[in-house]
Amino acid sequence: MRSYQPDLTPPWKRSAPVPEVPAEPDLVVEEVASGFCGAVIRCEKTAQGPTLTLEDRFGKHRVFPMEPRGFLLEGKVVTLVRPSAGGPVRPTRTASGSVAVPGARARVARAGRIYVEGRHDAELVERVWGDDLRIEGVVVEYLEGVDDLPAIVAEFAPGPDARLGVLVDHLVPGSKESRIAAEVTGDHVLVVGHPYIDVWEAVKPSSVGIDAWPVVPRGQDWKTGVCRALGWPENTGAAWQRILSTVRSYKDLEPQLLGGVEELIDFVTVPD
């Protein structure tokens, strides 16, 4: 009969237990030893033990052994385990961080709307909040600038059942945008914004793979100046697609934009 061997390790030297988390597709984790951060692509059983493939925001893949205490999830150490069998596992969160609703059908569009300044703004909002907006039945349209906003608001005729939310670039005190915003804001119209010259700047530089967004001298086209300063081809359409491709979730955006969009969604979906 095997005798019992007590654990004589002092309590302060024992490793605290950590949670086991299924390595589900799209789960974003960081490998402890290397610092590599990415989304789970697949788990595989190999002769050396189970492995995990991660994809970072640039599309680079790396394979890691699924060792105990080997990963960080939201800054906390976890042990990743293979998901249970039973078919593909759906993501548990949308790109905006909301709880995903598998199989949810898009709601019939509300009378309320969210307007953004341009196509790039609309594409970024769709990238991060698209699932949420479809469930809520909120349509996003773009203005191509804010100069005509007063006329657009008047034509829309907002009311208690048809609220209008507007996201504006470079909404800072004393600017043209702030004066127009003050003119149209009312009980059923909410204008919010961010301080950036263009929505490109609302994407974190670290996500794009640069140290910081360049300072473009006055008088130059800002987007073209950014391309020139970063050594990119002076094709702003291609540059935007390069930037947009680095956005995987809300974590790649600056808080000033996140808060503004969330506020607009709440405004147009919550009744008086």
Side-chain angles (χ1 to χ4, degrees):
M1 181 175 178
R2 185 176 179 181
S3 62
Y4 170 71
Q5 297 292 329
D7 184 358
L8 300 178
T9 305
W12 60 87
K13 289 188 177 181
R14 296 176 190 169
S15 296
V18 299
E20 291 189 347
V21 178
E24 299 174 349
D26 294 327
L27 182 72
V28 178
V29 296
E30 178 181 340
E31 201 272 330
V32 170
S34 66
F36 186 90
C37 183
V40 174
I41 299 299
R42 59 182 172 270
C43 298
E44 295 177 296
K45 187 177 181 180
T46 70
Q48 291 75 34
T51 63
L52 178 75
T53 301
L54 299 181
E55 180 185 51
D56 71 5
R57 61 175 59 93
F58 304 110
K60 182 179 179 181
H61 288 194
R62 286 188 62 178
V63 180
F64 300 97
M66 295 176 66
E67 296 179 344
R69 306 173 65 88
F71 298 87
L72 296 177
L73 176 61
E74 297 182 349
K76 297 181 180 180
V77 177
V78 297
T79 295
L80 293 183
V81 297
R82 298 183 69 191
S84 58
V89 180
R90 299 177 184 274
T92 58
R93 296 278 176 177
T94 67
S96 70
S98 301
V99 176
V101 184
R105 300 178 64 181
R107 178 173 174 166
V108 175
R110 295 173 181 267
R113 291 287 187 273
I114 291 177
Y115 285 169
V116 296
E117 280 208 52
R119 182 169 59 85
H120 292 180
D121 306 68
E123 289 176 347
L124 187 59
V125 169
E126 165 62 27
R127 181 84 166 198
V128 176
W129 289 275
D131 290 339
D132 302 14
L133 293 168
R134 278 181 284 279
I135 289 175
E136 294 290 351
V138 178
V139 174
V140 175
E141 302 180 14
Y142 61 89
L143 304 169
E144 291 293 0
V146 297
D147 290 345
D148 296 328
L149 184 58
I152 291 171
V153 171
E155 181 179 357
F156 184 85
D161 297 321
R163 289 182 165 192
L164 182 62
V166 185
L167 180 69
V168 176
D169 297 343
H170 198 231
L171 189 61
V172 296
S175 66
K176 173 189 70 175
E177 290 81 1
S178 67
R179 293 191 295 272
I180 294 175
E183 181 180 344
V184 301
T185 296
D187 291 341
H188 309 301
V189 179
L190 175 65
V191 181
V192 302
H194 55 74
Y196 308 112
I197 295 173
D198 188 271
V199 76
W200 289 18
E201 281 191 295
V203 180
K204 291 180 178 177
S206 58
S207 297
V208 183
I210 60 178
D211 293 331
W213 288 104
V215 176
V216 178
R218 286 181 176 273
Q220 287 190 26
D221 177 74
W222 188 84
K223 293 176 180 177
T224 302
V226 166
C227 293
R228 187 176 299 132
L230 294 176
W232 296 352
E234 294 183 17
N235 181 330
T236 57
W240 170 241
Q241 291 306 314
R242 177 174 182 170
I243 295 165
L244 186 62
S245 69
T246 68
V247 177
R248 302 182 62 93
S249 75
Y250 72 97
K251 296 179 181 180
D252 296 305
L253 303 181
E254 298 288 359
Q256 291 89 335
L257 178 65
L258 292 174
V261 176
E262 296 285 353
E263 187 177 0
L264 290 177
I265 294 174
D266 289 344
F267 179 77
V268 300
T269 58
V270 177
D272 286 333

